[in-house]
Amino acid sequence: MPDTVDILLPSEKGAPLTRAEGEAQWIKVEDALNGLFDGSKKAGNADKLDGFDSSDFARFVQMTGAVGNINSPLLHLPLKKNLLTQQGQSVCTFTRASAATYVDRYGMLKSVAADTPRFTTEGLLIEGASTNLLTYSEQFDNGAWVKTNASIAANTAAVTDPFGTNLADKLIEDASSGEHSAYQQCAYINGTTYCLSVFAQSAERTQLKIYSSGGAKGALFDLSNGSVVSYDSGVTASIQKLSNGWFRCSIVFTATVTATRANYFYSTVSGNTSYVGNGTSGLYLFGAQLEAMPFATSYIQTTTTSVTRAGNGLSVLQSDNFPSFSGNLSVCVDLSNLAKHSANQEILRDSSGFRLYYATEGLIAFAFGNKQITSAVLPGVFSGRITAVKSLTMLYLYINGLLVASTAIGTLAVNQTTMQIGSASGTSNYFYGTISNLRIYDRALTAEEVRLA
């Protein structure tokens, strides 16, 4: 007898049924289904069920027909703290050919070795390759950084840096009238999108301006309340809060020249980069990064030369974890992306025609065989649950429990040996963001199950 009987309520008869009472009622329902009711007699024959009202019966049929056991998928990868499966075969393979950093669930910057996964508050961090074009990213006292009407107090003990050590530098204004900054030159390519970022914390000065002369663009940030104060047209500015008073401030812009240009970090007063300094005030800086990306990826430490962080691959064997493509199936996954990219960002993919991905247009697409369905265009930064369902002869795509697209099935995809998570074969079309709570079912979830899953 199904456990769902335990939730049956006799109409206007008091408390919920006990297990024994539920079993008795189930026997009565089975008797009814075996002939006491036919299609013309269901309504008004409650007496056949000895007090079990037909409205209860209808509610029971509706509920059991809509909600099955959504807590028992064929495969469940929580991807919150490790790569272990909660259900299914533990056959995850994770690779990344370099060390990498991430912000953990406590707001601290962490560094991990190659082939080590990174888990944030939202889930497993997935990224493709990116290069920090700036050198001496944590050493603003180095000659690679030109100081204008300012000096650097290196490795100050006044604050802990984002890693929790004492390697942060303080940009200190002099007593002259003018701009007070540190900048580094870097080569730009016209028409390329870049992201310039830095970790910053307020001291006597509470506002930071980031500016690139490669794109002639900048933005002003308030380090006392963690807000973007203003930004130039054509700039996307963002600020991320860490622990211990640190913020990661970033601007995204398009280069307007193919030339070497400066990247500035200014101390400001009331939004002004030019003012009379007092010789002692300033703000804290750490971890500068310039990358040819449309968003800030995880921080990449540099010294004498630029450094590239490798992309990461994650895969799972389809055997015992993914149902046959010839039958019904469902996939649910929670994700949070950084932004749109110039390439499609794969969420789940094999090489035979099964794909769930975030497209360049900023929409979610579900491809199966020679058919594809898509959502409407989503916000550039999207966070939510995606569900793809193959049911009999139909494909369905849901976002946050709502059906957004469907189509009839065409040519069937054919199962391969490996399912890639967050990339295409671990080499391209990387998803940038976090993926968690991946569940794969060997049946088609109903609309109600999708809503509740």
Side-chain angles (χ1 to χ4, degrees):
M1 174 198 147
D3 291 340
T4 47
V5 171
D6 291 339
I7 65 172
L8 287 173
L9 288 172
S11 296
E12 301 179 358
K13 295 187 188 304
L17 299 179
T18 66
R19 178 78 181 187
E21 291 170 335
E23 289 177 348
Q25 291 285 27
W26 176 249
I27 293 172
K28 293 170 185 174
V29 171
E30 284 186 319
D31 288 342
L33 293 175
N34 285 332
L36 292 178
F37 284 165
D38 61 31
S40 63
K41 294 181 180 179
K42 284 184 179 180
N45 274 280
D47 58 304
K48 300 292 186 181
L49 290 176
D50 190 23
F52 184 68
D53 191 274
S54 58
S55 61
D56 288 320
F57 174 70
R59 184 162 62 252
F60 169 78
V61 171
Q62 181 183 23
M63 294 184 69
T64 54
V67 182
N69 192 352
I70 57 178
N71 294 320
S72 294
L74 189 64
L75 173 70
H76 185 190
L77 274 174
L79 298 178
K80 286 292 189 178
K81 297 180 180 179
N82 51 52
L83 298 179
L84 297 178
T85 55
Q86 184 168 311
Q87 193 158 314
Q89 300 298 314
S90 298
V91 287
C92 288
T93 300
F94 181 89
T95 59
R96 188 187 56 252
S98 71
T101 69
Y102 70 106
V103 177
D104 70 10
R105 63 184 68 246
Y106 304 107
M108 293 295 295
L109 191 61
K110 299 290 186 181
S111 180
V112 297
D115 296 329
T116 303
R118 297 167 291 170
F119 294 96
T120 70
T121 301
E122 292 80 18
L124 175 68
L125 179 60
I126 300 285
E127 292 181 304
S130 188
T131 300
N132 187 353
L133 302 171
L134 297 175
T135 59
Y136 298 98
S137 61
E138 298 171 14
Q139 298 164 264
F140 291 90
D141 58 323
N142 188 275
W145 291 96
V146 179
K147 276 68 74 173
T148 302
N149 300 323
S151 62
I152 296 293
N155 303 337
T156 175
V159 296
T160 57
D161 61 48
F163 281 115
T165 60
N166 294 111
L167 297 180
D169 294 344
K170 186 177 182 181
L171 175 68
I172 302 173
E173 65 197 34
D174 65 14
S176 66
S177 176
E179 295 180 339
H180 309 275
S181 68
Y183 71 86
Q184 184 177 146
Q185 302 269 7
C186 199
Y188 279 93
I189 299 175
N190 186 33
T192 300
T193 299
Y194 292 87
C195 180
L196 176 60
S197 62
V198 71
F199 296 93
Q201 183 175 158
S202 63
E204 298 82 14
R205 301 307 182 194
T206 61
Q207 290 187 335
L208 165 75
K209 183 172 182 178
I210 299 179
Y211 182 83
S212 165
S213 59
K217 303 292 184 181
L220 180 66
F221 301 87
D222 191 318
L223 303 176
S224 64
N225 59 20
S227 65
V228 178
V229 178
S230 62
Y231 52 90
D232 295 328
S233 174
V235 165
T236 300
S238 62
I239 186 167
Q240 175 190 10
K241 183 178 181 180
L242 281 76
S243 61
N244 299 330
W246 285 96
F247 296 93
R248 192 183 190 192
C249 306
S250 63
I251 61 172
V252 176
F253 56 93
T254 300
T256 56
V257 295
T258 298
T260 298
R261 290 290 186 268
N263 304 281
Y264 292 89
F265 302 117
Y266 294 96
S267 171
T268 68
V269 173
S270 300
N272 298 311
T273 56
S274 183
Y275 61 92
V276 179
N278 59 23
T280 59
S281 295
L283 47 77
Y284 299 105
L285 299 175
F286 184 86
Q289 184 157 307
L290 176 68
E291 53 190 325
M293 294 292 290
F295 38 73
T297 69
S298 60
Y299 169 56
I300 304 167
Q301 298 167 284
T302 68
T303 52
T304 60
T305 187
S306 60
V307 174
T308 297
R309 179 202 60 247
N312 48 233
L314 177 66
S315 63
V316 61
L317 292 180
Q318 290 203 29
S319 176
D320 298 322
N321 288 312
F322 216 99
S324 170
F325 288 162
S326 62
N328 291 339
L329 61 90
S330 303
V331 172
C332 295
V333 63
D334 295 341
L335 57 86
S336 179
N337 75 316
L338 293 178
K340 292 189 291 186
H341 193 21
S342 57
N344 293 328
Q345 301 181 50
E346 304 292 342
I347 301 168
L348 194 64
R349 172 177 177 164
D350 82 348
S351 58
S352 70
F354 180 98
R355 293 179 68 194
L356 188 60
Y357 64 100
Y358 185 86
T360 57
E361 302 90 342
L363 49 83
I364 299 294
F366 172 33
F368 188 86
N370 64 345
K371 293 285 187 174
Q372 177 171 290
I373 49 179
T374 63
S375 71
V377 175
L378 302 171
V381 178
F382 170 78
S383 181
R385 176 165 297 173
I386 309 301
T387 304
V389 176
K390 173 184 178 285
S391 176
L392 298 177
T393 60
M394 295 293 294
L395 302 178
Y396 301 94
L397 178 63
Y398 298 82
I399 296 181
N400 291 329
L402 299 177
L403 180 65
V404 297
S406 63
T407 188
I409 293 174
T411 302
L412 291 179
V414 179
N415 287 74
Q416 301 298 300
T417 59
T418 303
M419 183 67 73
Q420 301 291 333
I421 302 171
S423 72
S425 300
T427 58
S428 62
N429 294 93
Y430 292 96
F431 182 80
Y432 284 85
T434 58
I435 291 178
S436 65
N437 199 23
L438 173 62
R439 290 167 292 160
I440 298 172
Y441 297 85
D442 55 357
R443 62 188 183 84
L445 296 183
T446 65
E448 184 67 7
E449 286 175 325
V450 170
R451 186 181 67 82
L452 295 174

